[in-house]
Protein backbone atom coordinates (compact mmCIF):
# COMPACT_ATOMS: atom_id res chain seq x y z
CA UNK A 1 0.00 0.00 0.00
CA UNK A 2 2.56 2.52 1.06
CA UNK A 3 4.73 1.75 -1.87
CA UNK A 4 2.05 2.53 -4.36
CA UNK A 5 1.38 5.88 -2.82
CA UNK A 6 5.00 6.72 -2.82
CA UNK A 7 5.21 5.96 -6.42
CA UNK A 8 2.26 8.12 -7.21
CA UNK A 9 3.57 11.14 -5.35
CA UNK A 10 7.03 10.95 -6.80
CA UNK A 11 5.83 10.84 -10.35
CA UNK A 12 7.37 14.21 -11.11
CA UNK A 13 10.76 13.25 -10.02
CA UNK A 14 11.09 10.38 -12.46
CA UNK A 15 11.79 10.35 -16.11
CA UNK A 16 10.79 13.42 -18.01
CA UNK A 17 7.99 12.58 -20.37
CA UNK A 18 6.09 14.65 -22.82
CA UNK A 19 3.04 15.67 -20.90
CA UNK A 20 -0.01 14.04 -22.38
CA UNK A 21 -3.00 16.27 -22.48
CA UNK A 22 -6.29 14.67 -22.00
CA UNK A 23 -8.41 14.84 -25.12
CA UNK A 24 -11.53 15.19 -23.01
CA UNK A 25 -12.91 18.64 -22.60
CA UNK A 26 -15.33 19.75 -20.01
CA UNK A 27 -18.61 20.04 -21.81
CA UNK A 28 -20.72 21.25 -18.90
CA UNK A 29 -20.86 24.93 -19.97
CA UNK A 30 -21.79 23.89 -23.47
CA UNK A 31 -24.60 21.73 -22.17
CA UNK A 32 -25.74 24.59 -19.98
CA UNK A 33 -25.90 26.90 -22.93
CA UNK A 34 -27.73 24.39 -25.07
CA UNK A 35 -30.28 23.78 -22.35
CA UNK A 36 -30.75 27.51 -21.95
CA UNK A 37 -31.40 27.91 -25.64
CA UNK A 38 -33.86 25.03 -25.65
CA UNK A 39 -35.76 26.60 -22.80
CA UNK A 40 -35.83 29.95 -24.55
CA UNK A 41 -37.12 28.58 -27.81
CA UNK A 42 -39.63 26.36 -26.13
CA UNK A 43 -41.09 29.26 -24.25
CA UNK A 44 -41.20 31.71 -27.11
CA UNK A 45 -42.69 29.28 -29.58
CA UNK A 46 -46.39 29.41 -30.07
CA UNK A 47 -46.74 25.74 -30.16
CA UNK A 48 -50.45 25.51 -30.57
CA UNK A 49 -52.30 27.69 -32.97
CA UNK A 50 -55.29 29.48 -31.57
CA UNK A 51 -58.54 27.63 -31.63
CA UNK A 52 -61.42 29.12 -33.48
CA UNK A 53 -65.07 28.55 -33.67
CA UNK A 54 -66.74 28.98 -36.99
CA UNK A 55 -69.97 30.82 -37.11
CA UNK A 56 -72.33 31.23 -39.99
CA UNK A 57 -74.71 34.07 -39.81
CA UNK A 58 -78.00 33.86 -41.63
CA UNK A 59 -77.84 35.67 -44.94
CA UNK A 60 -79.64 38.95 -44.73
CA UNK A 61 -82.56 38.86 -47.07
CA UNK A 62 -82.85 41.99 -49.12
CA UNK A 63 -86.62 41.96 -49.22
CA UNK A 64 -88.13 40.62 -46.04
CA UNK A 65 -91.19 39.26 -47.80
CA UNK A 66 -89.19 36.35 -49.13
CA UNK A 67 -88.40 35.15 -45.68
CA UNK A 68 -90.33 32.22 -44.36
CA UNK A 69 -91.34 32.83 -40.79
CA UNK A 70 -90.55 30.17 -38.22
CA UNK A 71 -93.57 28.55 -36.69
CA UNK A 72 -94.02 29.33 -33.04
CA UNK A 73 -94.05 25.65 -32.15
CA UNK A 74 -90.64 25.22 -33.72
CA UNK A 75 -88.99 28.17 -32.10
CA UNK A 76 -87.04 28.63 -28.96
CA UNK A 77 -85.51 31.87 -27.85
CA UNK A 78 -82.55 32.27 -25.58
CA UNK A 79 -81.92 35.72 -24.21
CA UNK A 80 -78.52 36.54 -22.82
CA UNK A 81 -78.75 39.09 -20.09
CA UNK A 82 -76.27 41.02 -18.03
CA UNK A 83 -74.40 39.48 -15.08
CA UNK A 84 -74.26 36.14 -16.94
CA UNK A 85 -77.98 35.57 -16.73
CA UNK A 86 -79.76 33.43 -19.32
CA UNK A 87 -83.44 33.41 -20.05
CA UNK A 88 -85.24 31.16 -22.41
CA UNK A 89 -88.74 30.55 -23.62
CA UNK A 90 -90.41 28.48 -26.27
CA UNK A 91 -92.25 30.16 -29.06
CA UNK A 92 -91.70 33.43 -30.80
CA UNK A 93 -92.38 35.64 -27.85
CA UNK A 94 -95.43 37.44 -29.15
CA UNK A 95 -97.38 38.95 -26.26
CA UNK A 96 -100.52 36.99 -27.08
CA UNK A 97 -98.62 33.72 -26.70
CA UNK A 98 -97.86 34.70 -23.14
CA UNK A 99 -94.51 32.91 -23.17
CA UNK A 100 -93.23 31.45 -19.99
CA UNK A 101 -89.79 32.95 -19.47
CA UNK A 102 -87.45 30.79 -17.42
CA UNK A 103 -84.18 31.94 -15.96
CA UNK A 104 -81.27 29.55 -16.02
CA UNK A 105 -77.48 29.56 -16.16
CA UNK A 106 -74.57 28.38 -18.29
CA UNK A 107 -73.76 25.33 -16.19
CA UNK A 108 -74.25 21.75 -17.32
CA UNK A 109 -77.47 21.54 -15.35
CA UNK A 110 -78.75 24.82 -16.75
CA UNK A 111 -79.22 25.66 -20.38
CA UNK A 112 -77.60 22.45 -21.57
CA UNK A 113 -80.32 20.40 -19.93
CA UNK A 114 -82.92 22.42 -21.74
CA UNK A 115 -81.17 21.95 -25.05
CA UNK A 116 -81.02 18.17 -24.69
CA UNK A 117 -84.55 17.93 -23.39
CA UNK A 118 -86.95 16.03 -25.67
CA UNK A 119 -88.80 19.16 -26.53
CA UNK A 120 -85.77 20.49 -28.37
CA UNK A 121 -84.02 17.26 -29.37
CA UNK A 122 -86.96 15.35 -30.76
CA UNK A 123 -88.07 18.23 -32.95
CA UNK A 124 -85.77 18.44 -35.96
CA UNK A 125 -87.31 21.70 -37.02
CA UNK A 126 -86.60 23.40 -33.72
CA UNK A 127 -84.79 26.66 -34.34
CA UNK A 128 -82.95 28.27 -31.50
CA UNK A 129 -82.72 32.01 -31.63
CA UNK A 130 -80.05 33.66 -29.58
CA UNK A 131 -80.75 37.20 -28.60
CA UNK A 132 -78.01 38.83 -26.59
CA UNK A 133 -78.90 42.00 -24.74
CA UNK A 134 -76.52 44.90 -25.31
CA UNK A 135 -75.40 44.60 -21.72
CA UNK A 136 -74.37 40.96 -22.02
CA UNK A 137 -70.75 40.00 -22.34
CA UNK A 138 -69.03 38.60 -25.38
CA UNK A 139 -68.20 35.54 -23.32
CA UNK A 140 -71.90 34.83 -22.94
CA UNK A 141 -72.31 34.69 -26.67
CA UNK A 142 -69.38 32.32 -27.10
CA UNK A 143 -70.60 30.21 -24.22
CA UNK A 144 -74.04 29.78 -25.67
CA UNK A 145 -72.69 28.98 -29.12
CA UNK A 146 -70.49 26.46 -27.41
CA UNK A 147 -73.44 24.89 -25.63
CA UNK A 148 -75.22 24.56 -28.93
CA UNK A 149 -72.20 22.81 -30.33
CA UNK A 150 -71.95 20.50 -27.34
CA UNK A 151 -75.61 19.60 -27.55
CA UNK A 152 -75.31 19.27 -31.33
CA UNK A 153 -78.10 21.69 -32.04
CA UNK A 154 -77.87 22.45 -35.71
CA UNK A 155 -80.46 25.10 -36.28
CA UNK A 156 -79.69 28.29 -34.53
CA UNK A 157 -79.31 31.92 -35.36
CA UNK A 158 -77.93 34.98 -33.73
CA UNK A 159 -80.71 37.51 -33.81
CA UNK A 160 -80.98 41.10 -32.69
CA UNK A 161 -82.97 41.63 -29.56
CA UNK A 162 -86.43 43.09 -29.87
CA UNK A 163 -88.28 45.37 -27.54
CA UNK A 164 -90.78 42.68 -26.65
CA UNK A 165 -87.93 40.44 -25.52
CA UNK A 166 -86.51 43.23 -23.43
CA UNK A 167 -89.91 43.71 -21.90
CA UNK A 168 -90.21 40.01 -21.15
CA UNK A 169 -86.88 40.01 -19.35
CA UNK A 170 -87.89 43.09 -17.40
CA UNK A 171 -91.12 41.54 -16.21
CA UNK A 172 -89.28 38.35 -15.37
CA UNK A 173 -86.74 40.20 -13.29
CA UNK A 174 -89.43 42.33 -11.72
CA UNK A 175 -91.18 39.34 -10.23
CA UNK B 1 -8.34 -11.40 4.86
CA UNK B 2 -7.74 -8.50 2.56
CA UNK B 3 -10.16 -5.65 2.53
CA UNK B 4 -12.54 -5.58 -0.33
CA UNK B 5 -11.64 -2.65 -2.48
CA UNK B 6 -14.47 -0.59 -3.77
CA UNK B 7 -13.84 0.10 -7.38
CA UNK B 8 -13.94 3.79 -7.96
CA UNK B 9 -15.51 4.92 -11.14
CA UNK B 10 -14.42 8.02 -12.81
CA UNK B 11 -17.19 10.54 -12.06
CA UNK B 12 -16.78 12.47 -15.27
CA UNK B 13 -19.13 10.98 -17.83
CA UNK B 14 -19.19 11.35 -21.53
CA UNK B 15 -21.57 14.14 -22.32
CA UNK B 16 -21.23 14.04 -26.09
CA UNK B 17 -24.55 12.30 -26.83
CA UNK B 18 -26.32 14.65 -24.48
CA UNK B 19 -24.86 17.66 -26.21
CA UNK B 20 -25.79 16.17 -29.54
CA UNK B 21 -29.36 15.75 -28.44
CA UNK B 22 -29.52 19.24 -27.01
CA UNK B 23 -28.28 20.84 -30.17
CA UNK B 24 -30.68 18.79 -32.19
CA UNK B 25 -33.51 20.14 -30.07
CA UNK B 26 -32.20 23.69 -30.27
CA UNK B 27 -32.07 23.43 -34.04
CA UNK B 28 -35.55 21.99 -34.15
CA UNK B 29 -37.04 24.73 -32.04
CA UNK B 30 -35.16 27.43 -33.90
CA UNK B 31 -36.46 26.25 -37.20
CA UNK B 32 -40.03 25.62 -36.16
CA UNK B 33 -40.37 28.70 -34.00
CA UNK B 34 -42.52 31.49 -35.23
CA UNK B 35 -41.85 34.16 -32.72
CA UNK B 36 -44.92 35.08 -30.77
CA UNK B 37 -46.46 38.07 -32.40
CA UNK B 38 -46.29 41.22 -30.47
CA UNK B 39 -49.72 42.10 -29.31
CA UNK B 40 -50.87 45.66 -29.06
CA UNK B 41 -53.48 44.71 -26.54
CA UNK B 42 -53.83 41.79 -24.26
CA UNK B 43 -57.07 40.01 -24.89
CA UNK B 44 -58.44 37.25 -22.73
CA UNK B 45 -60.38 35.08 -25.13
CA UNK B 46 -63.28 32.93 -23.97
CA UNK B 47 -62.95 29.18 -24.18
CA UNK B 48 -64.86 26.76 -26.32
CA UNK B 49 -64.84 23.10 -27.21
CA UNK B 50 -64.24 23.86 -30.85
CA UNK B 51 -61.21 22.16 -32.30
CA UNK B 52 -60.83 24.07 -35.51
CA UNK B 53 -57.47 25.72 -35.88
CA UNK B 54 -57.00 29.16 -37.27
CA UNK B 55 -55.15 29.07 -40.59
CA UNK B 56 -51.59 30.40 -40.72
CA UNK B 57 -52.03 32.81 -43.55
CA UNK B 58 -54.71 34.99 -45.09
CA UNK B 59 -56.36 35.95 -41.85
CA UNK B 60 -57.83 39.28 -40.87
CA UNK B 61 -57.82 39.50 -37.12
CA UNK B 62 -60.26 41.89 -35.58
CA UNK B 63 -59.29 42.27 -31.99
CA UNK B 64 -61.85 43.73 -29.65
CA UNK B 65 -60.45 44.60 -26.28
CA UNK B 66 -62.37 45.09 -23.08
CA UNK B 67 -62.49 48.87 -23.50
CA UNK B 68 -64.52 48.38 -26.69
CA UNK B 69 -61.64 49.32 -28.95
CA UNK B 70 -61.32 47.52 -32.24
CA UNK B 71 -57.95 46.68 -33.73
CA UNK B 72 -57.34 45.54 -37.24
CA UNK B 73 -54.62 43.16 -38.30
CA UNK B 74 -53.83 41.24 -41.43
CA UNK B 75 -50.88 39.09 -42.38
CA UNK B 76 -48.63 39.48 -45.36
CA UNK B 77 -46.31 42.46 -45.83
CA UNK B 78 -47.19 42.89 -49.48
CA UNK B 79 -50.89 42.84 -48.69
CA UNK B 80 -50.43 45.45 -46.02
CA UNK B 81 -48.45 47.74 -48.30
CA UNK B 82 -51.04 47.49 -51.04
CA UNK B 83 -53.80 47.93 -48.51
CA UNK B 84 -52.27 51.11 -47.16
CA UNK B 85 -52.06 52.53 -50.66
CA UNK B 86 -55.72 51.83 -51.26
CA UNK B 87 -56.80 53.34 -47.99
CA UNK B 88 -54.54 56.34 -48.51
CA UNK B 89 -56.08 57.14 -51.86
CA UNK B 90 -59.56 56.60 -50.51
CA UNK B 91 -59.07 58.96 -47.58
CA UNK B 92 -56.91 61.43 -49.45
CA UNK B 93 -53.81 61.01 -47.35
CA UNK B 94 -50.39 59.97 -48.47
CA UNK B 95 -47.74 57.88 -46.85
CA UNK B 96 -44.09 57.87 -47.73
CA UNK B 97 -41.97 54.80 -48.30
CA UNK B 98 -40.77 54.64 -44.71
CA UNK B 99 -44.25 54.82 -43.26
CA UNK B 100 -45.45 52.19 -45.66
CA UNK B 101 -42.59 49.95 -44.58
CA UNK B 102 -43.42 50.49 -40.93
CA UNK B 103 -47.05 49.71 -41.61
CA UNK B 104 -46.19 46.48 -43.37
CA UNK B 105 -44.42 45.31 -40.24
CA UNK B 106 -47.24 46.04 -37.82
CA UNK B 107 -49.16 43.02 -36.63
CA UNK B 108 -52.23 45.05 -35.80
CA UNK B 109 -53.20 48.60 -35.04
CA UNK B 110 -56.15 50.58 -33.75
CA UNK B 111 -55.92 54.16 -34.92
CA UNK B 112 -58.19 56.12 -37.22
CA UNK B 113 -56.81 56.90 -40.65
CA UNK B 114 -56.22 60.58 -39.88
CA UNK B 115 -53.97 59.62 -36.95
CA UNK B 116 -52.24 56.84 -38.78
CA UNK B 117 -49.50 59.02 -40.22
CA UNK B 118 -48.35 60.32 -36.87
CA UNK B 119 -48.68 56.85 -35.41
CA UNK B 120 -46.41 55.41 -38.07
CA UNK B 121 -43.90 58.21 -37.59
CA UNK B 122 -43.27 57.19 -33.99
CA UNK B 123 -40.48 54.86 -33.07
CA UNK B 124 -41.05 51.39 -31.69
CA UNK B 125 -41.16 52.12 -28.00
CA UNK B 126 -43.30 55.20 -28.42
CA UNK B 127 -45.73 53.25 -30.50
CA UNK B 128 -45.98 50.63 -27.85
CA UNK B 129 -46.83 53.13 -25.17
CA UNK B 130 -49.28 55.26 -27.07
CA UNK B 131 -52.92 54.79 -26.23
CA UNK B 132 -54.63 53.71 -29.40
CA UNK B 133 -58.25 54.81 -29.65
CA UNK B 134 -59.35 51.90 -31.82
CA UNK B 135 -60.68 51.94 -35.35
CA UNK B 136 -63.92 53.89 -35.72
CA UNK B 137 -66.87 51.78 -36.74
CA UNK B 138 -69.84 54.05 -36.24
CA UNK B 139 -72.41 54.12 -38.96
CA UNK B 140 -71.31 57.62 -39.97
CA UNK B 141 -67.62 56.89 -40.00
CA UNK B 142 -67.08 53.21 -40.48
CA UNK B 143 -63.41 52.91 -41.27
CA UNK B 144 -63.29 49.30 -40.24
CA UNK B 145 -65.61 48.57 -43.12
CA UNK B 146 -63.17 50.09 -45.60
CA UNK B 147 -60.20 48.27 -44.15
CA UNK B 148 -61.98 44.95 -44.45
CA UNK B 149 -63.41 45.71 -47.85
CA UNK B 150 -60.07 46.71 -49.34
CA UNK B 151 -58.32 43.70 -47.83
CA UNK B 152 -60.93 41.40 -49.29
CA UNK B 153 -60.52 43.00 -52.67
CA UNK B 154 -56.78 42.43 -52.51
CA UNK B 155 -56.95 38.91 -51.21
CA UNK B 156 -60.05 36.90 -51.95
CA UNK B 157 -58.97 33.98 -49.82
CA UNK B 158 -58.92 35.98 -46.64
CA UNK B 159 -60.65 34.59 -43.58
CA UNK B 160 -61.99 36.87 -40.90
CA UNK B 161 -61.39 36.07 -37.27
CA UNK B 162 -62.82 38.03 -34.38
CA UNK B 163 -60.76 37.93 -31.25
CA UNK B 164 -62.87 39.36 -28.52
CA UNK B 165 -62.19 39.83 -24.85
CA UNK B 166 -64.30 37.94 -22.34
CA UNK B 167 -65.65 41.14 -20.85
CA UNK B 168 -66.34 43.17 -23.94
CA UNK B 169 -69.96 44.18 -24.17
CA UNK B 170 -72.03 42.50 -26.82
CA UNK B 171 -73.01 45.76 -28.48
CA UNK B 172 -69.45 46.30 -29.72
CA UNK B 173 -69.20 42.78 -31.06
CA UNK B 174 -72.58 43.27 -32.64
CA UNK B 175 -71.31 46.36 -34.44
CA UNK B 176 -68.36 44.41 -35.77
CA UNK B 177 -70.60 41.58 -36.92
CA UNK B 178 -72.94 44.05 -38.57
CA UNK B 179 -70.02 45.60 -40.39
CA UNK B 180 -69.16 42.18 -41.71
CA UNK B 181 -72.71 41.35 -42.64
CA UNK B 182 -73.05 44.55 -44.57
CA UNK B 183 -70.37 43.17 -46.87
CA UNK B 184 -72.14 39.84 -47.06
CA UNK B 185 -69.54 38.15 -44.93
CA UNK B 186 -71.70 35.66 -43.16
CA UNK B 187 -69.05 33.17 -42.23
CA UNK B 188 -66.31 34.10 -39.88
CA UNK B 189 -64.34 32.73 -36.99
CA UNK B 190 -64.25 33.54 -33.33
CA UNK B 191 -60.90 33.00 -31.70
CA UNK B 192 -61.25 31.00 -28.54
CA UNK B 193 -59.18 29.08 -26.03
CA UNK B 194 -59.28 25.39 -25.70
CA UNK B 195 -61.72 23.71 -23.39
CA UNK B 196 -62.40 20.05 -22.78
CA UNK B 197 -65.62 18.75 -24.21
CA UNK B 198 -67.83 17.38 -21.46
CA UNK B 199 -67.95 13.60 -21.45
CA UNK B 200 -71.66 13.25 -20.98
CA UNK B 201 -74.53 15.50 -21.69
Amino acid sequence: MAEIQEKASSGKGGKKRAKKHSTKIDMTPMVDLAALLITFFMLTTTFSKPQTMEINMPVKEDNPENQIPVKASNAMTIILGEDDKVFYYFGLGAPEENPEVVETDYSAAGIRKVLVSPRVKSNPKMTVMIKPLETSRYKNMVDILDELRITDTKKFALVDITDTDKQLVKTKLGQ
Amino acid sequence: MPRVKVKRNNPSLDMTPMVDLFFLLVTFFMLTATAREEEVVIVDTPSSVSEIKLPDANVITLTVDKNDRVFFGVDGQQTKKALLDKIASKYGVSFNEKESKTFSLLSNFGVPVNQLKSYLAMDGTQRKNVNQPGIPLDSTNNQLRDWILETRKLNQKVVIAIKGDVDVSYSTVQKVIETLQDQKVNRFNLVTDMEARPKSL
Side-chain angles (χ1 to χ4, degrees):
Chain A
M1 283 280 263
E3 250 184 13
I4 298 165
Q5 271 190 342
E6 167 105 14
K7 229 182 176 177
S9 63
S10 64
K12 265 191 242 165
K15 243 196 255 170
K16 269 201 173 169
R17 282 182 202 158
K19 212 177 182 184
K20 263 190 193 166
H21 278 286
S22 166
T23 48
K24 277 184 188 164
I25 40 164
D26 185 14
M27 276 193 267
T28 325
M30 191 170 157
V31 173
D32 286 353
L33 181 73
L36 190 86
L37 284 173
I38 288 183
T39 325
F40 171 73
F41 280 109
M42 275 172 78
L43 293 181
T44 50
T45 313
T46 44
F47 210 67
S48 57
K49 274 188 273 174
Q51 308 286 122
T52 65
M53 141 191 278
E54 253 188 342
I55 167 168
N56 287 309
M57 297 291 284
V59 179
K60 263 191 189 163
E61 194 66 58
D62 289 332
N63 45 338
E65 287 155 31
N66 287 1
Q67 279 182 331
I68 307 151
V70 184
K71 260 168 59 185
S73 57
N74 293 334
M76 177 190 174
T77 304
I78 300 174
I79 301 170
L80 314 179
E82 59 187 324
D83 302 329
D84 299 341
K85 287 194 179 90
V86 197
F87 306 91
Y88 72 90
Y89 63 81
F90 290 95
L92 289 168
E96 60 271 16
E97 279 175 29
N98 195 18
E100 187 201 349
V101 183
V102 185
E103 187 180 343
T104 178
D105 54 36
Y106 291 97
S107 69
I111 193 77
R112 194 179 300 165
K113 222 166 195 170
V114 182
L115 289 170
V116 292
S117 70
R119 192 165 177 187
V120 181
K121 270 280 133 200
S122 63
N123 186 350
K125 282 184 184 159
M126 184 60 94
T127 310
V128 180
M129 279 177 289
I130 305 156
K131 298 183 180 176
L133 282 169
E134 280 94 347
T135 42
S136 66
R137 296 197 292 163
Y138 171 66
K139 184 187 194 300
N140 301 145
M141 183 182 110
V142 173
D143 277 347
I144 203 78
L145 292 173
D146 212 29
E147 287 301 324
L148 289 166
R149 189 180 293 270
I150 290 169
T151 55
D152 201 28
T153 312
K154 292 270 159 42
K155 284 187 139 183
F156 62 87
L158 207 59
V159 189
D160 288 346
I161 192 119
T162 59
D163 287 335
T164 39
D165 289 318
K166 280 185 194 164
Q167 198 55 47
L168 282 172
V169 172
K170 237 181 222 166
T171 37
K172 173 70 192 167
L173 285 175
Q175 273 173 9
Chain B
M1 196 177 153
R3 253 203 257 157
V4 179
K5 271 187 200 163
V6 181
K7 203 182 175 188
R8 278 203 192 158
N9 279 327
N10 193 350
S12 77
L13 65 152
D14 186 12
M15 276 194 271
T16 324
M18 184 168 157
V19 173
D20 286 353
L21 178 74
F22 273 22
F23 274 97
L24 187 85
L25 283 174
V26 167
T27 323
F28 169 74
F29 278 111
M30 272 173 82
L31 294 180
T32 55
T34 45
R36 194 171 288 175
E37 266 187 39
E38 216 173 290
E39 298 285 333
V40 194
V41 273
I42 296 154
V43 169
D44 180 16
T45 51
S47 56
S48 83
V49 298
S50 172
E51 277 158 9
I52 311 165
K53 297 263 191 268
L54 198 65
D56 276 328
N58 305 325
V59 186
I60 297 180
T61 318
L62 303 175
T63 312
V64 188
D65 85 335
K66 57 172 174 277
N67 299 322
D68 298 327
R69 295 180 299 174
V70 181
F71 294 78
F72 178 90
V74 69
D75 58 314
Q77 292 190 20
Q78 293 307 319
T79 319
K80 270 185 268 191
K81 267 189 183 165
L83 175 64
L84 190 67
D85 285 345
K86 294 267 188 204
I87 291 291
S89 61
K90 194 161 198 168
Y91 282 86
V93 277
S94 65
F95 297 96
N96 59 31
E97 192 54 40
K98 192 168 163 275
E99 286 159 347
S100 169
K101 175 83 186 147
T102 316
F103 183 78
S104 71
L105 296 173
L106 289 180
S107 66
N108 53 5
F109 64 95
V111 283
V113 178
N114 55 4
Q115 290 174 33
L116 196 58
K117 204 173 169 67
S118 57
Y119 176 69
L120 291 174
M122 294 176 191
D123 61 35
T125 44
Q126 257 184 312
R127 206 176 301 128
K128 207 181 262 176
N129 293 329
V130 78
N131 186 28
Q132 302 190 40
I135 294 172
L137 70 159
D138 308 314
S139 50
T140 49
N141 181 20
N142 196 337
Q143 294 182 2
L144 184 71
R145 194 179 148 272
D146 293 327
W147 283 108
I148 296 169
L149 191 68
E150 293 302 333
T151 316
R152 289 181 63 226
K153 277 187 199 161
L154 288 166
N155 184 352
Q156 270 88 20
K157 282 183 288 180
V158 86
V159 173
I160 296 169
I162 300 176
K163 188 175 173 185
D165 194 273
V166 169
D167 284 321
V168 69
S169 75
Y170 177 71
S171 53
T172 312
V173 181
Q174 193 181 22
K175 266 191 249 167
V176 175
I177 293 176
E178 267 169 19
T179 310
L180 294 174
Q181 281 204 294
D182 281 348
Q183 307 178 22
K184 304 238 184 295
V185 180
N186 289 311
R187 175 189 285 244
F188 43 86
N189 294 282
L190 304 175
V191 178
T192 53
D193 278 344
M194 224 181 335
E195 185 185 296
R197 189 180 269 266
K199 292 278 184 308
S200 61
L201 291 177

